[in-house]
Amino acid sequence: MSESKDFLRTIVEEDLQSGKYHEIITRFPPEPNGFPHIGHAKSICINFGIARDYKGHCNLRMDDTNPTTEDMKYVEALKDAVTWLGFEWANHVRFASDYFPKIYDYAVQLVKMGKAYVDSLNEEEIREYRGTIKEAGRRSKFAQRSIEENLDLLERMRKGEFKDGEHVLRAKIDMSAANMKMRDPLLYRIRHAHHFRTGDEWCIYPMYDFAHCLSDYIEGVTHSICTLEFENNREIYDWVLDELELKLPRPYQYEFARLGINYTVMSKRKLLELVNGSYVNGWDDPRLPTIAGYKRRGYTPESILNFCDQIGIAKANSMVDVAQLEFCIRDDLNQKVPRVMCVLDPLKVTIENYDGVEEIDASYYPHDVPKEGSRKLPFSREIYIERDDFMENPPAGYYRLTPEQSVRLKHTYILTCKEIIKDSHGNIVELKAEYHPNSKSGEDTSGIKTKSAIHWVSAKHAKKVEVRLYERLYSSDAPDGLEDLNPDSLHVITNAFVEPAVITEKPDVRFQFERQGYFYADPVDYTDAKPVFNKIVGLKDSWAKKVEATESAPKPETKKLPIVEGEVAPMSEAEQALFEKYTMVLGLNNEIANILARDTQLSAFYEEALSYIHSPISLANSVANEVARELKSASALNFGAKEIAELVTMIDEGTISTKIAKQVFEEMAKSGDHPKAIVEAKGLTQISDPAKLKPMIEEIIAKNSESVAKYKAGNTNLFGFFVGQVLKKSGGKANPTVVNELVAEKLKNG
Ligand code: ATP
Ligand code: MG
C-alpha cells in the first residue's frame, strides 16, 4: 500500500530481520466512548496497514476500562468504520474487559513482589504528595504496609467492601522520578459502576497504564503504536512488563503524530457536546469529521485512505488543511461518477419557437474519464435554468445568458433571451426565449458565438429533489468551542430539479451535478418519492461562487480575486500574477494553479519543466500532485524538471498510460533512474495495437458470458466492468481509449 517507508515500517522491518518477532501483531485500541473520526482513520490505516504489509495481523480491541462512559453503540460504530475502510481484524473483536481477571492476577503478583501497595490517601492528598516538575514528591505512609496487609486490602477492594475513592492500588516505583508518571502511578481504583459488558462483576477497574500494556501482552502484540501524547507513558509500559518478567516476546510502544485538521474539532468530548446538544443531527451528520459523517456525506473509503497515505506518518504534530482532504475526494470522484444536470435555484424559461419533445443522447462521462454510458435527456418547450445564470444588467466578464448575449444549453441548442417577465415587486419570474434549430451541440452550423454553456432541465420531465448543501461546521480555522460554530453550515433546498435519468435509471449513487459539485443520494432519507442528495464537495473551481457574488453586486474598479476554498491567507501580488498566468494563459484549472502559484519551489520547478516541453496541463498535474507529494515527504528529490518533462512526454505521446506513469514516477523517485530507461527495463510501454488487445478482450468476454447477457438485456452499466477487466488483465498497460472502442465494437458485433 504505502510506497515510501515511514519510521514505523523501518522499525518493523528491522525487528523481522533480526528475528525479534516472527509475526507482526498490531492492534487498534479505541475507547468505545464516541464515534471514530478522521484521526482514528489515520490510526486504523497505520495499524491495519502495517499488519497487512508485513503479513501479520491487527486486533480490534475495545479499551473499555472506564465503565461510566462506554456503550455498545460505539463498539458498533468502530467496527463499521474499520470495515468500511476495507480492513479486517483478526478473529473476534477483543475487549480489555475480557482480561480483567488476568490483569487482576498480575496486580496480585506485583503486590506479592513488594512492587505495589494499597494507598489510602484521598485524591487531593495523592495529588499534593506527587510533587511538581521541579520538586520531588513524598511517598504515602501507607506504602509501608506489609505484603499480607496489601493482599488482604486488595482482595476486599475487589469484593466491594469499600466506597469509591477509599483506597487505590499503586505501583511502588520512585516518588522523585523526573517523569511524573513514574511517581507511584495508580494501577487500580474503586468504581461502583455498572459496566456495559461485565455488569456488576467488578467494582475495581484497572487504569490505562496498567491495562494497556498487559492487554497488548496477552494478545501477543509486537508493536503497540499510539499517539505522541503517550510518550511519557512508555516508561510505565516497560516497567510493568519488565517487573513482571513476562516471557518473551513482549510488545514495545511507539508513538506517531496525531492528526489535526483545520476548521474542525476532533476531541470526542467536543464531538459529544455537539451531538448531545443537537448542534448537529447525530453522529453521522455530514458536517462532522466522524467516519459515519463522511460516509453519510458520500465520501468514499478510497479517498480517505488516499488522504491518510498522503499525510504520511510523522513524529511531529501538525495541522492539515481540510482542503487536502477535499482534494482527495474530488480526485477520486472525478474519475468515477456520472455527470448529470440539476438546477438548484430554478428560473423558468419558455422557448417560444419550440414544440414537442426530443430526447438527446448525452454521455455520462467526459472524454478524459475512461468510462462509458449515456442517458436520454428530454428537451422541451419549458425548461429550468439556474437563476444566476441569467442577468439583466450584467457586469463586464459575465459570460452567461443576458438580454444581449446568447448561451449554449449544455448538450444541446443555443438559447437567446427575448423577454423578461417580472412580478409586481420587479423580481424576474420567467424568461421568454428562442432556440436556434441549427445550433445543436455536435452539429452546430449556426455560426453563433457563445462564451459558456449552462446546465438546464426540462420542466415537465425533471424530478423535484431535496438538496442539502454543507459548509464548514466552524467559521474559525482553529475552533475552540461552540462560539466558533458557523451559523450557516447547512442549507436545505427543497425544490431543486434534477434530470429524470438520475432517479429512474440510477446509474450510480454519487454524481457530479454539472457546474455545482459532487452529490450523494442520502443513504438514510432518500426515497424515490422524495429523493434527497447531499453535497459531498464543490468542484475544483468552487471559488467561482464567490466570484459570482461579486458579479451580482459589482464594484466596477475593485477586481476581486478568486478565493480558493480551504485557503486562509490571501495571495501575494507575485502569486496572483502567477495564478492569472496559469489559469488565463496556460489553461490550468483553479485548484492546480493555486497549488503551484502559492509555492515558489513548485512554481519554479513547473516553469523549468515548461522550458523543455510545452505541455502545460499535463506538466502541471504531475508537478502539483506527484512532485509536490515527493517534496513533502523526501528530503531531496531524486529527479529534476527534465525527467518530469520526459515522463510527461511519454504520457502525451501515448507511450505509457497515466496509470503506468504513476508507477514509473514512484520508481524514478526511489532510484533516480530516467523514466525512459525504467519503461524500457520493465516493459511498461502502453499497448495500443488492436491485434494485441483483441485476444485479451475475447478472453474477458468469453469468461463473463453471464454479464454479457445482462449487458445485452439492457444493463449498459456493465460496459465499464468489461473495460476494467481488460485493463486489469493487461497489468494496466492497455490503452484505455483503444480498449473502450474495441470492447464497444465486440459487444455490438459479437
Ligand atoms: P479523543 O481525544 O478524541 O478522546 P482518544 O485518543 O482518546 O481520542 P481513543 O478512542 O482512545 O481516542 O483512540 C484510539 C486510537 O486512535 C488511539 O491509539 C489513538 O492514539 C488514536 N487516535 C485518536 N485520535 C487520533 C488522531 N487525531 N490522530 C491519530 N490517531 C488518533
Ligand atoms: Mg483515549
Side-chain angles (χ1 to χ4, degrees):
M1 179 188 142
S2 295
E3 304 288 337
S4 53
K5 218 181 335 154
D6 51 77
F7 78 95
L8 291 172
R9 283 178 170 79
T10 306
I11 293 169
V12 165
E13 283 184 16
E14 278 167 13
D15 287 350
L16 280 172
Q17 243 154 39
S18 71
K20 184 169 171 187
Y21 304 113
H22 296 295
E23 191 194 1
I24 299 303
I25 304 177
T26 56
R27 85 287 171 264
F28 171 60
E31 194 181 341
N33 60 354
F35 271 54
H37 49 62
I38 185 83
H40 291 107
K42 176 174 178 181
S43 180
I44 290 170
C45 286
I46 292 174
N47 282 298
F48 285 91
I50 287 180
R52 184 165 65 188
D53 287 357
Y54 297 96
K55 308 208 164 33
H57 65 260
C58 179
N59 293 341
L60 172 58
R61 182 206 313 149
M62 300 300 148
D63 182 20
D64 58 346
T65 52
N66 184 0
T68 51
T69 54
E70 294 156 3
D71 196 296
M72 218 42 209
K73 75 170 180 237
Y74 300 129
V75 174
E76 291 308 318
L78 284 154
K79 285 161 68 178
D80 191 62
V82 173
T83 307
W84 185 68
L85 287 171
F87 295 107
E88 274 172 54
W89 51 87
N91 306 312
H92 54 279
V93 176
R94 331 260 164 153
F95 291 85
S97 55
D98 286 344
Y99 312 138
F100 282 171
K102 277 190 186 155
I103 295 172
Y104 181 79
D105 287 346
Y106 284 124
V108 170
Q109 204 177 317
L110 279 181
V111 172
K112 284 183 180 161
M113 296 165 86
K115 306 266 181 195
Y117 62 95
V118 173
D119 196 359
S120 309
L121 297 181
N122 63 34
E123 219 181 308
E124 200 177 315
E125 289 164 330
I126 289 178
R127 198 176 317 121
E128 209 182 293
Y129 276 47
R130 187 168 286 134
T132 63
I133 299 187
K134 290 200 194 107
E135 263 172 74
R138 279 177 292 146
R139 188 161 267 161
S140 157
K141 63 173 192 270
F142 300 110
Q144 286 161 22
R145 280 173 170 151
S146 69
I147 290 176
E148 288 68 34
E149 193 183 353
N150 280 321
L151 285 173
D152 175 59
L153 282 170
L154 179 59
E155 172 69 15
R156 287 165 58 202
M157 276 167 70
R158 178 193 171 154
K159 282 187 177 149
E161 290 184 21
F162 307 112
K163 288 199 289 293
D164 284 9
E166 231 177 305
H167 304 289
V168 290
L169 182 72
R170 299 180 75 167
K172 198 178 217 170
I173 308 180
D174 179 1
M175 286 307 289
S176 55
N179 179 355
M180 299 274 291
K181 302 234 176 199
M182 294 298 277
R183 296 185 183 176
D184 291 10
L186 270 57
L187 304 181
Y188 266 98
R189 62 187 169 160
I190 302 171
R191 204 28 79 92
H192 289 274
H194 192 80
H195 186 280
F196 76 110
R197 292 189 78 246
T198 57
D200 298 317
E201 198 182 328
W202 293 87
C203 62
I204 58 171
Y205 290 92
M207 305 300 287
Y208 171 88
D209 282 323
F210 194 51
H212 203 85
C213 53
L214 288 170
S215 303
D216 283 346
Y217 177 75
I218 291 166
E219 290 178 7
V221 166
T222 55
H223 298 79
S224 179
I225 301 165
C226 61
T227 35
L228 279 177
E229 69 272 20
F230 290 99
E231 211 168 350
N232 288 336
N233 301 61
R234 193 190 329 126
E235 224 178 320
I236 313 177
Y237 189 101
D238 289 335
W239 185 90
V240 172
L241 298 183
D242 290 344
E243 293 300 325
L244 286 169
E245 290 175 39
L246 296 171
K247 67 175 194 306
L248 296 173
R250 53 153 279 199
Y252 286 88
Q253 178 186 306
Y254 302 94
E255 309 90 22
F256 69 95
R258 253 180 126 73
L259 168 66
I261 294 191
N262 60 8
Y263 292 100
T264 193
V265 293
M266 258 191 315
S267 112
K268 279 187 284 192
R269 186 179 53 75
K270 287 187 178 161
L271 293 172
L272 197 65
E273 182 182 31
L274 292 174
V275 173
N276 287 346
S278 297
Y279 296 95
V280 294
N281 303 314
W283 281 104
D284 66 349
D285 189 297
R287 290 167 293 178
L288 288 179
T290 53
I291 302 302
Y294 289 119
K295 188 174 163 185
R296 172 123 189 226
R297 183 155 176 172
Y299 271 65
T300 56
E302 293 81 5
S303 64
I304 305 242
L305 295 174
N306 229 333
F307 172 71
C308 290
D309 218 35
Q310 272 188 22
I311 56 177
I313 307 174
K315 267 270 181 198
N317 279 321
S318 65
M319 187 62 98
V320 174
D321 195 331
V322 63
Q324 195 173 346
L325 178 61
E326 290 165 357
F327 177 87
C328 288
I329 178 67
R330 226 180 258 131
D331 200 37
D332 188 33
L333 297 179
N334 178 38
Q335 287 301 315
K336 290 182 179 164
V337 304
R339 272 61 167 174
V340 296
M341 297 199 282
C342 179
V343 174
L344 298 183
D345 186 8
L347 172 64
K348 186 171 143 187
V349 179
T350 304
I351 306 169
E352 296 192 292
N353 61 340
Y354 191 92
D355 276 314
V357 180
E358 73 187 272
E359 289 200 313
I360 297 150
D361 194 47
S363 170
Y364 275 129
Y365 304 98
H367 298 300
D368 56 346
V369 172
K371 288 183 90 172
E372 288 250 329
S374 65
R375 80 286 194 186
K376 296 275 184 263
L377 197 54
F379 182 76
S380 67
R381 183 180 171 87
E382 286 181 358
I383 63 171
Y384 293 126
I385 65 169
E386 210 67 64
R387 184 164 290 278
D388 64 8
D389 281 340
F390 173 78
M391 278 188 90
E392 191 177 3
N393 301 302
Y398 184 84
Y399 288 162
R400 294 163 272 166
L401 189 63
T402 75
E404 274 78 45
Q405 183 170 271
S406 302
V407 78
R408 155 114 26 227
L409 295 173
K410 176 101 196 177
H411 294 300
T412 184
Y413 303 102
I414 291 174
L415 188 75
T416 300
C417 175
K418 290 290 164 191
E419 189 188 343
I420 304 170
I421 317 278
K422 293 183 182 175
D423 65 12
S424 56
H425 305 288
N427 300 316
I428 301 173
V429 292
E430 188 187 336
L431 301 179
K432 304 273 189 206
E434 277 179 11
Y435 85 113
H436 300 270
N438 56 353
S439 68
K440 201 166 178 181
S441 295
E443 48 200 72
D444 182 2
T445 54
S446 70
I448 303 170
K449 292 252 180 305
T450 54
K451 289 190 173 136
S452 67
I454 61 171
H455 59 278
W456 56 276
V457 292
S458 164
K460 187 162 60 184
H461 304 91
K463 306 277 180 192
K464 192 168 175 175
V465 296
E466 177 172 318
V467 174
R468 299 173 183 168
L469 304 177
Y470 305 102
E471 298 287 333
R472 305 225 154 98
L473 185 54
Y474 289 92
S475 35
S476 155
D477 64 347
D480 254 346
L482 299 172
E483 66 279 12
D484 291 322
L485 281 170
N486 171 9
D488 291 319
S489 57
L490 172 65
H491 286 274
V492 179
I493 298 175
T494 51
N495 61 336
F497 287 96
V498 76
E499 57 168 282
V502 171
I503 311 296
T504 55
E505 275 184 21
K506 295 193 178 44
D508 204 335
V509 285
R510 294 183 183 84
F511 300 89
Q512 184 188 109
F513 289 174
E514 300 252 18
R515 301 174 66 231
Q516 301 283 11
Y518 293 97
F519 291 80
Y520 180 51
D522 186 89
V524 179
D525 295 334
Y526 185 106
T527 61
D528 276 347
K530 186 175 173 276
V532 178
F533 291 92
N534 297 323
K535 179 163 178 180
I536 306 170
V537 69
L539 292 177
K540 290 178 180 167
D541 50 347
S542 54
W543 59 276
K545 266 197 227 101
K546 315 239 164 104
V547 176
E548 276 171 37
T550 7
E551 280 178 0
S552 50
K555 286 189 213 103
E557 296 313 320
T558 55
K559 188 151 146 258
K560 252 284 187 25
L561 269 146
I563 298 165
V564 178
E565 226 177 300
E567 290 295 345
V568 203
M571 288 189 193
S572 72
E573 238 164 70
E575 287 168 353
Q576 281 171 21
L578 275 181
F579 182 86
E580 297 248 357
K581 172 177 148 194
Y582 291 164
T583 49
M584 312 298 258
V585 183
L586 298 178
L588 307 189
N589 72 45
N590 298 303
E591 178 147 1
I592 299 278
N594 175 58
I595 293 172
L596 298 179
R598 282 177 182 273
D599 187 317
T600 46
Q601 210 178 350
L602 286 181
S603 54
F605 194 100
Y606 178 50
E607 303 269 335
E608 197 199 328
L610 273 175
S611 72
Y612 297 110
I613 49 159
H614 187 73
S615 180
I617 295 180
S618 311
L619 278 178
N621 281 334
S622 178
V623 175
N625 293 302
E626 278 87 14
V627 177
R629 198 178 319 141
E630 193 62 21
L631 270 174
K632 226 182 226 173
S633 62
S635 47
L637 290 185
N638 266 336
F639 53 83
K642 193 164 177 196
E643 281 67 44
I644 291 297
E646 189 180 313
L647 181 67
V648 166
T649 305
M650 283 192 286
I651 305 171
D652 286 353
E653 291 174 352
T655 314
I656 54 173
S657 65
T658 46
K659 192 169 163 145
I660 292 290
K662 290 211 166 96
Q663 198 181 321
V664 177
F665 178 84
E666 296 293 348
E667 186 60 36
M668 258 170 79
K670 226 183 335 182
S671 66
D673 291 343
H674 284 238
K676 270 193 184 144
I678 295 170
V679 170
E680 259 163 44
K682 301 207 160 181
L684 296 174
T685 308
Q686 177 159 261
I687 310 173
S688 304
D689 182 2
K692 292 204 178 111
L693 293 172
K694 274 183 179 160
M696 292 186 213
I697 294 172
E698 302 277 3
E699 194 188 322
I700 296 297
I701 297 283
K703 243 188 8 213
N704 294 284
S705 52
E706 240 185 76
S707 300
V708 174
K710 280 190 199 150
Y711 175 84
K712 291 197 168 153
N715 189 349
T716 50
N717 289 338
L718 283 167
F719 188 86
F721 163 77
F722 297 120
V723 173
Q725 290 291 305
V726 177
L727 294 180
K728 198 165 153 194
K729 171 120 194 86
S730 73
K733 285 190 281 185
N735 181 330
T737 321
V738 181
V739 172
N740 248 293
E741 282 165 21
L742 293 175
V743 170
E745 194 180 292
K746 174 79 192 159
L747 286 170
K748 204 160 121 208
N749 305 328

